[in-house]
Amino acid sequence: MKELEELFENNRQWAQSTVAGDPEFFKKLSRLQTPEYLWIGCSDSRVPANQLIGLAPGEVFVHRNVANVVVHTDMNCLSVMQYAVEVLNVKHIIVCGHYGCGGVKAALEGDSFGLIDNWLRHIKDVYRMHQQDIDAQPTEQAKLDVLCEKNVIEQVANVCTTSIVQNYWRAGNELTVHGVIYALDSGLLKSLDVEVSGPEQLCITHILK
Ligand code: CO
């Protein structure tokens, strides 16, 4: 436990200062969470969901994995989505990628890292779908940037085509799925102009092209 002493001390200070600002903060949170957002992002330590969108505990439900991939048979991600949508009734699902993503880079460069290669295979599929656009980029950096963006767009499509979201929309509920990307070197989020609020938009947006 000694190695974590600093972390425990940080935690005590954080809890103290939070209570100093709002004595009821943790008591209220312990009874109920009512987040409006589900965040699906990369596990990268430089992309902390709450911090970069300025939300407090209780305000965003979070799922993170390597390279923010949504796989239709991933029970972990699907369970998070189902709980967030059907039980917490989040109004927005945000798929957030980031430039310079190590997972995307590994998929693009074709290096082998062991078991994770099977996970990265999903990103290689994204590359295959957008190979023309990506190969047309003038530099390796630009190729990586475009694949990071295309990966977000394809994961938005994957979210929208899950039975969870399809059935939720079919029942007349409001839910919007957004695609955004984060720049590590500026700390800024950028919209990829992908916003899907119903099944009819899936055929007119470019995301299923
Ligand atoms: Co990443």
Side-chain angles (χ1 to χ4, degrees), residues 92-166:
H92 303 273
I93 298 178
I94 300 165
V95 177
C96 178
H98 68 100
Y99 293 115
C101 182
V104 175
K105 189 164 185 276
L108 187 61
E109 291 176 351
D111 294 337
S112 184
F113 295 94
L115 177 73
I116 197 172
D117 295 349
N118 299 285
W119 184 252
L120 300 179
R121 178 59 56 184
H122 295 293
I123 304 166
K124 290 175 191 279
D125 290 341
V126 175
Y127 169 73
R128 195 156 36 76
M129 285 180 236
H130 298 279
Q131 189 169 1
Q132 242 180 338
D133 282 352
I134 294 163
D135 288 351
Q137 300 303 314
T139 63
E140 290 307 308
Q141 184 62 51
K143 284 179 189 171
L144 177 59
D145 288 350
V146 171
L147 184 54
C148 287
E149 291 175 353
K150 298 291 187 193
N151 183 45
V152 171
I153 292 166
E154 291 301 331
Q155 305 317 322
V156 167
N158 286 345
V159 169
C160 293
T161 51
T162 56
S163 59
I164 300 159
V165 172
Q166 291 280 311

Side-chain angles (χ1 to χ4, degrees), residues 42-44 46-47 65-68 98-104:
C42 183
S43 297
D44 194 305
R46 298 164 295 179
V47 193
N65 62 39
V66 172
N68 42 270
H98 68 100
Y99 293 115
C101 182
V104 175

